[in-house]
């Protein structure tokens, strides 16, 4: 008896939860749903009389018509005064309920079809329009997902590009994914046969830039003011921006490679797929600087190498990395390698010096925490890399002078139409050596 009482209490709580769900879902809607079929009816419920017979225990369903009436082709039912045409409200309501079966399978219509439910034409048309809208929206979302690269997935167009590279003999085989980021997915591949004008490295890294459009909302500031791509920039065509982003990384890597800066070697660019040399060995990528534990001597060596690379990047390549940190530097063969330069800009970019100061802050903080006593602070490092002798006592005034230099250079560009630096420079920056 105690078990039956506990079960009865549980059933009451369950029924109350169902009623709350009904009220929450239905709200003020004209068409309501019911969870009556899922309510618990306990034989020992004291609220129900023993003489009452629950309709769920019988074969008779009061919500279902005994014999569904159909309208003959002549358009009326009955004889004499009791004529019911096809325009009758009850007949139309039942027909509309039955026609809900034709909705898309994803559109849930509940148990209304099994009941003697009568939907007016206005309600049915609204439901039908909503069902079509949901079907089209689902198709659009599926199509966008199918035609975009997201996470580790590759869309059909990208797969076709990779297959063509393998079939042409440029790549022998693609082994798998080695890295994923907010902007790209990187795969490892073994190089194929070298051609007359291309030397294919034994191991390659394939960088596939994601074509998911929402990944590119904050990237226009890196490319729209870059004079190399300014005329081709368009906010209305995000897919072209993605290709320009890949092309930008190829050009920046080529500049760095010509200057002798350790970085991946560009093999080929196909739309948004960039093939480069692999920094690592036997499918194992080189670790990032943040993940490797270096001795104090190696840390000091890495610091001076990065300092020289930043000066080379600024002076010889005329570039600012714009995202330089321990996350974008690899440690391989006892030296530092720079990667991810798609966002790199020239110093004459409207925000070029701000990006350089941010890079200097990241590098200074990392090596100061790493125990390099010789590490300069961000302001000293900025002056050492750029050669600009900004003498400000605090960071706020320092950044204000940087913004003033950028504004002066931007005004010069607008007046003369040339991308020439107006920064006051007292000569080449000094090359620091250990």
């Amino acid at each position: 008896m105690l078990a039956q009482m506990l079960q009865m209490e549980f059933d009451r709580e369950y029924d109350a939860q169902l009623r709350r769900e009904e009220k929450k879902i239905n709200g003020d809607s004209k068409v309501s749903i019911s969870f009556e079929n899922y309510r618990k009816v306990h034989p020992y419920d004291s609220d129900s009389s023993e003489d009452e017979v629950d309709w769920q225990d019988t074969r008779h369903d009061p919500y279902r018509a005994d014999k569904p009436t159909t309208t003959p082709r002549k358009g009326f039912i009955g004889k004499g005064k009791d004529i019911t045409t096809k325009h009758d409200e009850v007949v139309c309501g039942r027909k509309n309920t039955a026609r809900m079966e034709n909705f898309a399978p994803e559109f849930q219509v509940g148990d209304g079809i099994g009941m003697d439910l009568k939907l007016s034409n206005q309600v049915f048309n609204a439901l039908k329009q909503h069902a079509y809208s949901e079907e089209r929206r689902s198709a659009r979302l599926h199509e966008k997902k199918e035609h975009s690269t997201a996470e580790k997935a590759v869309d059909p167009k990208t797969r076709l590009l990779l297959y063509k590279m393998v079939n042409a003999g440029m790549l022998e085989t693609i082994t798998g994914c080695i890295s994923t980021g907010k902007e790209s997915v990187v795969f490892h591949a073994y190089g194929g046969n070298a051609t007359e004008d291309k030397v294919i490295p034994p191991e390659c890294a394939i960088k596939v830039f994601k074509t998911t459009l929402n990944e590119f909302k904050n990237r226009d500031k890196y490319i729209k003011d870059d004079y190399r791509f300014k005329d081709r920039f368009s906010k209305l065509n995000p897919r072209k921006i993605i290709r320009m982003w890949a092309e930008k990384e190829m050009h920046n890597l080529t500049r760095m490679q010509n200057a002798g800066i350790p970085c991946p070697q560009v093999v080929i660019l196909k739309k948004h797929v960039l093939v480069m040399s692999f920094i690592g060995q036997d499918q194992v990528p080189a670790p990032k600087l943040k993940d490797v534990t270096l001795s104090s001597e190696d840390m000091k060596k890495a610091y001076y190498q990065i300092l020289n690379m930043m000066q080379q990047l600024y002076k010889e390549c005329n570039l600012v990395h714009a995202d330089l940190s321990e996350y974008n530097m690899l440690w391989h063969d006892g030296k530092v390698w720079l990667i991810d330069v798609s966002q790199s800009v020239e110093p004459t970019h409207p925000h070029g010096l701000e990006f350089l100061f941010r890079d200097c802050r990241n590098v200074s903080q990392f090596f100061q925490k790493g125990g390099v006593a010789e590490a300069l602070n961000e302001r000293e490092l900025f002056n050492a890399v750029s050669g600009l002798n900004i003498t400000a006592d605090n960071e706020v005034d320092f950044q204000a002078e940087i913004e003033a230099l950028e504004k002066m250079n931007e005004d010069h560009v607008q007046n003369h139409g040339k991308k020439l630096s107006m920064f006051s420079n007292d000569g080449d920056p000094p090359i620091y050596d250990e």
Side-chain angles (χ1 to χ4, degrees):
M1 181 62 68
L2 181 62
Q4 291 173 352
M5 291 172 64
L6 289 173
Q7 182 63 46
M8 225 163 38
E9 185 64 25
F10 175 80
D11 292 344
R12 289 196 185 97
E13 293 177 1
Y14 181 78
D15 292 344
Q17 176 66 22
L18 285 181
R19 282 192 292 271
R20 287 193 294 270
E21 289 291 329
E22 282 182 10
K23 188 175 180 180
K24 179 180 177 181
I25 294 175
N26 291 332
D28 298 326
S29 176
K30 293 183 179 179
V31 180
S32 60
I33 64 171
S34 173
F35 293 136
E36 188 67 32
N37 292 346
Y38 302 100
R39 290 208 172 95
K40 302 289 185 180
V41 179
H42 206 278
Y44 298 95
D45 195 344
S46 58
D47 295 338
S48 60
S49 172
E50 292 183 357
D51 298 333
E52 292 178 351
V53 179
D54 183 36
W55 63 266
Q56 290 186 345
D57 297 332
T58 66
R59 295 188 178 184
H60 175 66
D61 189 348
Y63 290 99
R64 185 186 299 276
D66 294 335
K67 291 183 181 181
T69 57
T70 58
T71 305
R73 292 183 180 179
K74 292 182 179 180
F76 59 89
I77 301 174
K79 295 181 179 180
K81 298 180 180 179
D82 299 329
I83 295 178
T84 305
T85 67
K86 62 182 180 180
H87 304 292
D88 182 72
E89 184 178 355
V90 176
V91 175
C92 283
R94 287 174 178 163
K95 276 188 176 181
N96 290 337
T97 303
R99 287 161 64 187
M100 286 199 301
E101 292 181 346
N102 300 327
F103 290 167
E106 296 83 7
F107 189 77
Q108 304 296 332
V109 296
D111 296 332
I113 299 176
M115 305 177 183
D116 190 18
L117 188 64
K118 307 172 188 66
L119 294 180
S120 66
N121 290 337
Q122 183 180 2
V123 173
F124 174 77
N125 290 334
L127 280 175
K128 182 173 70 171
Q129 189 62 37
H130 179 65
Y132 289 163
S133 301
E134 287 294 306
E135 189 175 7
R136 287 195 297 269
R137 188 179 69 87
S138 176
R140 284 197 304 271
L141 292 177
H142 178 72
E143 182 181 3
K144 183 183 294 186
K145 185 177 180 181
E146 179 67 20
H147 292 82
S148 63
T149 57
E151 298 299 330
K152 298 182 181 179
V154 180
D155 63 298
K157 291 183 178 180
T158 306
R159 284 200 296 268
L160 184 60
L161 288 175
L162 299 178
Y163 291 154
K164 286 182 178 179
M165 292 180 185
V166 175
N167 292 336
M170 183 180 302
L171 301 177
E172 182 180 343
T173 180
I174 300 174
T175 56
C177 178
I178 58 175
S179 174
T180 58
K182 59 184 179 182
E183 68 173 26
S184 62
V185 182
V186 182
F187 297 92
H188 175 272
Y190 285 107
N193 302 323
T195 59
E196 297 178 357
D197 56 341
K198 291 188 184 299
V199 178
I200 310 296
E203 291 185 89
C204 296
I206 306 173
K207 189 170 185 178
V208 180
F209 288 83
K210 290 182 179 180
T211 56
T212 310
L213 304 184
N214 57 3
E215 300 283 352
F216 291 84
K217 290 180 179 177
N218 61 341
R219 296 196 180 180
D220 55 349
K221 64 179 180 180
Y222 293 99
I223 197 170
K224 71 176 182 180
D225 293 320
D226 194 324
Y227 77 97
R228 296 174 292 174
F229 303 93
K230 193 170 184 179
D231 295 336
R232 296 163 51 194
F233 178 80
S234 173
K235 270 192 172 181
L236 301 178
N237 196 336
R239 295 189 180 275
K240 285 188 178 180
I241 300 178
I242 297 166
R243 295 188 187 181
M244 289 167 61
W245 196 256
E247 183 183 342
K248 195 165 183 276
E249 174 146 9
M250 180 195 69
H251 289 309
N252 292 339
L253 284 175
T254 304
R255 284 193 191 184
M256 295 168 60
Q257 184 182 343
N258 293 336
I261 298 176
C263 65
Q265 176 187 352
V266 176
V267 178
I268 193 173
L269 172 67
K270 290 288 187 181
K271 296 183 179 180
H272 61 284
V273 177
L274 180 62
V275 182
M276 307 170 288
S277 60
F278 179 70
I279 310 300
Q281 191 174 4
D282 298 331
Q283 302 186 35
V284 180
K288 298 177 181 177
L289 208 57
K290 74 175 185 69
D291 297 326
V292 67
T293 303
L294 300 178
S295 63
S296 58
E297 199 63 31
D298 283 339
M299 185 68 82
K300 184 178 177 182
K301 176 184 174 183
Y303 172 72
Y304 281 105
Q305 184 188 351
I306 290 172
L307 181 54
N308 288 331
M309 284 195 296
M310 291 178 70
Q311 291 175 335
Q312 279 184 286
L313 200 64
Y314 187 90
K315 186 64 180 177
E316 300 178 27
C317 304
N318 197 28
L319 285 175
V320 174
H321 191 284
D323 192 22
L324 189 63
S325 67
E326 61 272 20
Y327 293 87
N328 290 332
M329 295 183 283
L330 305 181
W331 181 258
H332 182 60
D333 287 342
K335 59 182 179 180
V336 180
W337 298 68
L338 295 184
I339 59 172
D340 290 343
V341 293
S342 53
Q343 73 288 329
S344 299
V345 297
E346 296 199 346
T348 51
H349 186 278
H351 303 286
L353 295 183
E354 295 177 33
F355 296 153
L356 177 60
F357 186 74
R358 187 176 63 188
D359 291 348
C360 294
R361 181 191 291 119
N362 294 337
V363 172
S364 295
Q365 290 178 354
F366 175 74
F367 284 100
Q368 285 174 354
K369 290 180 181 178
V372 179
E374 297 85 351
L376 305 172
N377 61 40
E378 55 263 29
R379 286 175 278 171
E380 296 171 341
L381 183 58
F382 180 89
N383 286 332
V385 172
S386 64
L388 302 172
N389 295 322
I390 300 179
T391 56
D393 298 332
N394 54 67
E395 184 174 332
V396 176
D397 295 339
F398 197 91
Q399 290 185 337
E401 290 195 34
I402 289 177
E403 293 177 2
L405 286 173
E406 290 178 336
K407 183 67 169 63
M408 181 170 52
N409 185 70
E410 186 64 22
D411 293 341
H412 175 79
V413 171
Q414 291 179 357
N415 294 332
H416 297 82
K418 295 181 180 179
K419 210 65 177 173
L420 297 176
S421 177
M422 294 295 293
F423 305 146
S424 57
N425 196 335
D426 296 335
D428 294 342
I431 299 297
Y432 282 75
D433 197 357
E434 184 181 352

